[in-house]
Amino acid sequence: MKKALIPSLLLALSATAAQAAPAKNIIFFLGDGMGPTAITAARIFQYGEEGLLKFERLERTARIKTYSNDAQTTDSAPSMGSYMTGIKINNEVISMSSDTKASMPQKDERGNLTIDTCASGNGKAAPTILELSKAAGRSVGAVTTTEATHATPASTYAHSCHRQSGYAIALQAVPGGAGYNPALGDGLDVLMGGGRHHFTPYDAASNSKGRADGRDLLAEFAAQGYAVASNKMEMSVARPGQKFVGLYAKEDHLEYELDRTATPPRGEGGTQPSLSEMTAKAIELLSANPKGFFLMVEGGKIDHALHGSNVKRALVDTVAFDDAVQTALDQMKQLDPGLANTLIVVTADHDHTLAFNGNARRGNPILDIVRGASGEALLDADGKTFTTLVFGNGPNRPAQRADVGSAEAGGDDYHQETGVRLRGETHGGGDVKLYAAGAGASAFKGTLENTRVFDLMRAAAGL
């Protein structure tokens, strides 16, 4: 009797396993610094109090703890590393074991941080979910609005004792060259962002940033069969089946979305693709692999604007990030109806000190001064107007507060006031939100360690 039950039990287990097929595709969206207050402010900015951002409509949610191995308030490197590796990491360290000590690179004679100081005995590389995906035969990519070697993208494909080691991190992405990360197999399939100087030689004629070793990593990529782009037009001609590197800013990150879309665009913004356009192209290229893919997409300029206590640029970049999520959802639902084999995760690496202020009436513009029920400006204890959004710390704490007007508070270049006076606004240590949809999304619930996100993605992908 008991023996007769065994085949039936095996059949039932097999059927259950078939129903819970792994997510062969994972798209991991990271809004750098996009804490809960930034999400709420962006929602009101774009859609009003009653609206929702597009990623807020995803059916699964969780709350994520963000502390690092050695700090109550994390920086981007260990928080992203925890998502990618499943371990707690020390601040400033890129996807290395918990015992790795941060060691700042040194400047060369031109003032560039090209001298790596990571000693061989200082910790060991922690495998990332991107590397595990590559080992399983899937295509992999990283897309960001920051430098391509910045903390968040680097944590997907590189290992370093310090996030500022961008020149050494760049070496890890180039197949066949000295310093290459062999865990990437035949290499990243897609890499997009800024910071071209980390990949190109120093140019004495223009006194630019650049590599002291004289290597032209973009030429090395091309020699390995990569299509290499420096602007949106060159990106557009890349086709599935090609490996692709797009670096759209020479010496820095990409422009803020507010500046990229200005008339005329500021800086290099006129030639740079949007985050949605980069996301769409990455999916087009990666989805050619029938075994699936892993893609990381970062809205990194949200964090930069918040550090600069400039909320308007942070909110516009959050909306652009939200649009990129919707782009991915629409594209993947065409490729994989119902997201039966695709997991999409949207979260942040850490919070900031952004806070709501006062008792503004409903419908009051989020970037305005606080106004009461009749539209009158509310005043502080010294009889001065004040804005709805402020920061817990940062540089903008005047000795004597002056009135703030609506036009000033809503301006592109307005910097919100702060409580504690510091040279720059810092990260916050609060929890962040996570949203998920598709295959394996039901496991994301409750309050989770950031390391647990790696475990759940790995399980969903069957890695």
Side-chain angles (χ1 to χ4, degrees), residues 83 178 231 260 285 333 365 397 403:
Y83 288 141
N231 56 53
R260 193 189 68 81
L285 297 175
K333 286 177 181 177
R397 186 187 181 191
D403 278 325

Side-chain angles (χ1 to χ4, degrees), residues 111-152:
N112 295 325
L113 293 169
T114 63
I115 304 173
D116 188 39
T117 62
C118 295
S120 59
N122 184 12
K124 60 183 179 180
T128 71
I129 193 165
L130 182 148
E131 293 168 342
L132 295 173
S133 298
K134 190 68 180 181
R138 300 176 188 181
S139 295
V140 296
V143 169
T144 180
T145 53
T146 69
E147 294 178 335
T149 56
H150 214 237
T152 297

Side-chain angles (χ1 to χ4, degrees), residues 218-282:
L218 297 184
E220 293 184 28
F221 272 123
Q224 293 291 327
Y226 281 78
V228 178
S230 62
N231 56 53
K232 179 165 65 173
M233 182 177 295
E234 292 173 352
M235 179 190 80
S236 68
V237 300
R239 293 292 176 259
Q242 289 182 298
K243 291 183 182 297
F244 178 77
V245 173
L247 301 178
Y248 310 115
K250 183 178 180 182
E251 294 189 2
D252 206 345
H253 312 288
L254 274 61
E255 300 291 341
Y256 288 108
E257 183 68 7
L258 187 65
D259 300 323
R260 193 189 68 81
T261 57
T263 306
R266 299 184 179 95
E268 297 176 87
T271 66
Q272 293 174 352
S274 68
L275 187 60
S276 289
E277 289 168 335
M278 290 191 286
T279 300
K281 176 56 71 171

Side-chain angles (χ1 to χ4, degrees), residues 131-211:
E131 293 168 342
L132 295 173
S133 298
K134 190 68 180 181
R138 300 176 188 181
S139 295
V140 296
V143 169
T144 180
T145 53
T146 69
E147 294 178 335
T149 56
H150 214 237
T152 297
S155 293
T156 68
Y157 68 83
H159 309 275
S160 175
C161 71
H162 206 282
R163 58 178 291 170
Q164 295 296 333
S165 299
Y167 291 97
I169 287 168
L171 295 175
Q172 299 189 45
V174 186
Y180 179 59
N181 174 15
L184 297 176
D186 65 355
L188 292 166
D189 297 280
V190 170
L191 180 63
M192 296 193 219
R196 204 155 57 241
H197 65 98
H198 286 129
F199 296 83
T200 54
Y202 173 79
D203 180 7
S206 61
N207 196 31
S208 64
K209 296 178 182 177
R211 302 193 60 82

Side-chain angles (χ1 to χ4, degrees), residues 56-124:
E56 290 184 290
R57 299 179 185 277
L58 299 182
E59 58 266 28
R60 300 293 178 174
T61 61
R63 186 181 180 101
I64 306 299
K65 297 159 72 174
T66 62
Y67 66 94
S68 70
N69 188 58
D70 64 345
Q72 202 170 68
T73 300
T74 189
D75 83 84
S76 295
S79 50
M80 182 60 173
S82 289
Y83 288 141
M84 294 296 102
T85 69
I87 65 172
K88 289 288 185 179
I89 300 169
N90 290 331
N91 273 11
E92 313 291 345
V93 174
I94 300 290
S95 292
M96 297 282 287
S97 57
S98 298
D99 60 340
T100 307
K101 304 299 182 185
S103 179
M104 182 81 172
Q106 295 179 1
K107 293 182 179 180
D108 60 26
E109 59 185 8
R110 304 177 185 101
N112 295 325
L113 293 169
T114 63
I115 304 173
D116 188 39
T117 62
C118 295
S120 59
N122 184 12
K124 60 183 179 180

Side-chain angles (χ1 to χ4, degrees), residues 3 13 26 32 64 136 166-167 210-211 227 247 335 377 394 408 420 449:
K3 287 182 180 180
L13 289 173
I26 294 180
D32 200 316
I64 306 299
Y167 291 97
R211 302 193 60 82
L247 301 178
L335 297 169
E408 179 185 6
V420 177
E449 294 283 353

Side-chain angles (χ1 to χ4, degrees), residues 37-38 40-42 44-45 309 311-312 315 353-358 365-370 386-391 409 414-418:
T37 303
T40 305
I44 296 172
F45 174 77
S309 62
V311 177
K312 187 170 186 177
L315 300 188
T353 68
L354 183 65
F356 273 77
N357 216 8
I366 196 66
L367 294 175
D368 200 359
I369 58 175
V370 175
F386 57 96
T387 57
T388 300
L389 296 173
V390 296
F391 286 91
Y414 181 71
H415 295 266
Q416 277 68 20
E417 294 181 64
T418 62

